[in-house]
Amino acid sequence: MRISGEGRCFLLLQGPHGPFFNRLGRMLRQTGAQVWRVGFNQGDAAFWRDKAHYLPFTDTPENWPDRFRAILASHQVTDIVLYGDVRPIHAQAIDIAKAAGVTIHVFEEGYLRPYWITYERNGSNGNSALMDMSIRSMRRALRKSELELPDPPAHWGDMRHHIFYGALYHFCVLALNQRYRHFRPHRALGVAQEFALYLKRLWAMPLTSLQRRIASWRIRNGGFPYHLVLLQLEHDSSFQAHSPFSTITEFLELVFEGFAKGAPRHHHLVIKAHPMEDGRAPLWASITALIQAHGLKGRVHFVRGGKLAALLNHARSAVTVNSTAAQQVLWRGMPLKIFGRAVYDKPEFVSDQDIEAFFAHPARPDARAYRDYRRFLLETSQVPGGYYSLRGRRQLMRHVVDLMLVPDDPYTALMRGDATPRQQVRKAK
């Protein structure tokens, strides 16, 4: 059957910072589909070039559900497209779209990041269809697959682009948002604070890099066994919506207590900050207080972002809430303990020990089961490419529009046996 967008109307809501949604809309129009974009602030408007098909929402958030229903009806929308499914405007839109029989396309950062993005239908992370899938069902679906597993890339090529577009987006909202006076950010910080943090990160990158190199050198040359704690952004939607914690400090308190009670006394704890950590959470102050409270002076190390591979190569185990970085832990066959809802939370390879017992003697995962799980993701929801760099977007656009136009979501298509083989990652020189 010919893949076509004829007879379909795509409504794009908020996307990743930068030009990706504009590029996506342009290609969807080439398929014969109608494409509209709802903008909630000047940052959304700045990156959308087709002003004739731009719908500004300048009303109060309380009136968004009624406006969204009206747009669905007046434009005969068949599909909605959004980035992240838990921010209030998206969660409300998803509920309304499901009731109306509208197809829901959800983009997210890659479950196997850094060199893949995630594309799913109806929900992502804790709302993903993966949450209810067993390893057994994935193995059945893979019986006809001949996909060769690519090596996981060890770098995040989009980092500087991500920070740049984030700063530009927040500048537009801060300085040019007069038309959208009712706009409210989905995060706790105001737009001015967000913008200031982006600028601070750009300015502080050389110093942060130096601190990271010094800490990493001490860990590599320390000659001690260590366990790795993978932190997330405290304001991240996956942490806030799919974990039992409201702050990173709450998570760290539990980890420090378990380590102090369970880990051998010659073992160390390495705290790895998220690469996009911007200082809004008092990480170092919390870590310093916990070191003193639990008598762990000299046994705790803090690494400010950076690459994960080198730290993982010598770690004994890893602990996180529900970070996607845990996929790299499992890829290496390392013991993993998590505390939140995650798409990789499968009994075959995630420990169910309490935290004290885990640090004392961590249970190893079923590496073969994880390889099958990872292979299933690469055949379905993980699309090679990225949102922020030009090279990443070009690679992404080779695949993602076809995935959006076919009737079945990627998981159903593979289970039915008619999924299209996916071009896999090849590092560009």
Side-chain angles (χ1 to χ4, degrees):
M1 184 175 65
R2 184 169 67 98
I3 297 177
S4 172
E6 294 178 3
R8 296 173 72 171
C9 179
F10 287 82
L11 180 68
L12 281 63
L13 303 184
Q14 289 199 290
H17 298 151
F20 170 66
F21 260 25
N22 182 71
R23 179 77 181 269
L24 178 64
R26 190 168 67 204
M27 187 171 285
L28 285 170
R29 284 192 293 274
Q30 293 173 8
T31 72
Q34 293 187 51
V35 181
W36 294 84
R37 172 76 189 270
V38 178
F40 298 85
N41 57 56
Q42 190 58 34
D44 294 337
F47 292 107
W48 186 257
R49 295 185 179 180
D50 183 13
K51 303 306 180 184
H53 293 86
Y54 179 75
L55 304 170
F57 178 72
T58 58
D59 208 339
T60 61
E62 291 74 21
N63 291 329
W64 164 241
D66 289 339
R67 175 70 188 283
F68 180 67
R69 291 187 184 94
I71 293 173
L72 292 185
S74 63
H75 292 81
Q76 297 182 310
V77 173
T78 60
D79 301 73
I80 66 168
V81 188
L82 44 86
Y83 171 73
D85 63 347
V86 297
R87 64 182 69 180
I89 56 174
H90 286 174
Q92 293 169 340
I94 287 172
D95 289 341
I96 295 168
K98 285 181 178 179
V102 171
T103 302
I104 301 160
H105 306 269
V106 182
F107 287 93
E108 252 295 0
E109 300 296 342
Y111 295 148
L112 300 178
R113 67 180 70 174
Y115 215 68
W116 291 270
I117 65 95
T118 297
Y119 166 75
E120 296 180 280
R121 303 273 177 94
N122 297 321
S124 63
N125 291 310
N127 298 321
S128 169
L130 289 168
M131 299 297 298
D132 298 320
M133 294 184 192
S134 66
I135 300 299
R136 180 178 297 179
S137 67
M138 294 178 185
R139 282 171 166 162
R140 285 198 301 266
L142 289 168
R143 285 175 183 169
K144 297 182 181 179
S145 170
E146 298 294 334
L147 177 66
E148 220 176 283
L149 282 175
D151 291 332
H155 70 283
W156 179 300
D158 285 356
M159 180 59 67
R160 284 189 292 270
H161 304 86
H162 193 168
I163 296 172
F164 169 77
Y165 283 126
L168 183 58
Y169 175 91
H170 285 94
F171 170 78
C172 291
V173 178
L174 177 64
L176 307 171
N177 216 45
Q178 295 84 354
R179 187 181 185 185
Y180 303 89
R181 63 184 184 276
H182 298 297
F183 171 70
R184 298 177 194 166
H186 64 280
R187 292 173 179 163
L189 287 186
V191 175
Q193 293 170 298
E194 288 270 3
F195 178 63
L197 286 171
Y198 273 101
L199 290 182
K200 180 181 177 182
R201 288 191 66 235
L202 285 170
W203 175 81
M205 284 181 78
L207 177 60
T208 302
S209 176
L210 177 61
Q211 292 173 333
R212 180 170 59 246
R213 291 182 182 184
I214 293 172
S216 298
W217 183 89
R218 288 173 174 169
I219 294 165
R220 286 196 309 271
N221 294 280
F224 46 75
Y226 63 87
H227 305 262
L228 195 57
V229 182
L230 302 176
L231 298 186
Q232 297 160 250
L233 299 177
E234 190 171 273
H235 58 273
D236 181 73
S237 60
S238 183
F239 179 84
Q240 290 295 329
H242 304 300
S243 88
F245 310 109
S246 58
T247 68
I248 291 293
T249 298
E250 293 176 6
F251 165 61
L252 287 173
E253 287 172 348
L254 190 151
V255 170
F256 270 71
E257 182 179 3
F259 180 79
K261 292 180 178 178
R265 297 190 63 164
H266 63 291
H267 285 205
H268 288 222
L269 194 65
V270 174
I271 315 294
K272 167 70 166 57
H274 190 277
M276 294 293 290
E277 182 57 55
D278 54 18
R280 73 185 66 187
L283 293 183
W284 181 239
S286 297
I287 291 169
T288 302
L290 289 168
I291 290 172
Q292 184 174 358
H294 293 281
L296 296 174
K297 185 177 180 180
R299 294 175 60 195
V300 178
H301 311 266
F302 181 52
V303 180
R304 298 180 182 274
K307 296 179 181 180
L308 180 60
L311 290 174
L312 282 175
N313 289 339
H314 303 288
R316 290 294 184 91
S317 71
V319 178
T320 188
V321 177
N322 53 7
S323 171
T324 55
Q327 302 268 9
Q328 296 187 48
V329 176
L330 293 170
W331 174 249
R332 287 166 171 77
M334 292 169 51
L336 174 68
K337 174 69 179 173
I338 71 171
F339 291 90
R341 286 169 53 82
V343 294
Y344 53 81
D345 185 10
K346 306 298 180 186
E348 289 85 353
F349 41 76
V350 173
S351 174
D352 62 355
Q353 299 166 281
D354 64 50
I355 188 65
E356 185 177 338
F358 179 81
F359 279 127
H361 189 72
R364 298 189 65 85
D366 181 339
R368 186 172 298 176
Y370 178 72
R371 288 181 65 86
D372 291 337
Y373 167 84
R374 187 174 186 273
R375 184 179 164 202
F376 181 84
L377 291 191
L378 289 171
E379 284 270 30
T380 53
S381 61
Q382 301 307 287
V383 186
Y387 300 122
Y388 306 104
S389 70
L390 179 60
R391 182 180 66 178
R393 289 192 298 275
R394 285 173 176 168
Q395 188 175 24
L396 183 54
M397 296 308 298
R398 294 190 179 104
H399 305 279
V400 76
V401 170
D402 285 1
L403 291 175
M404 297 173 70
L405 293 177
V406 296
D408 290 328
D409 68 88
Y411 305 130
T412 303
L414 184 61
M415 290 181 174
R416 285 164 55 106
D418 57 4
T420 303
R422 193 78 54 76
Q423 176 187 352
Q424 293 306 313
V425 171
R426 290 178 177 86
K427 293 184 181 179
K429 293 183 180 179

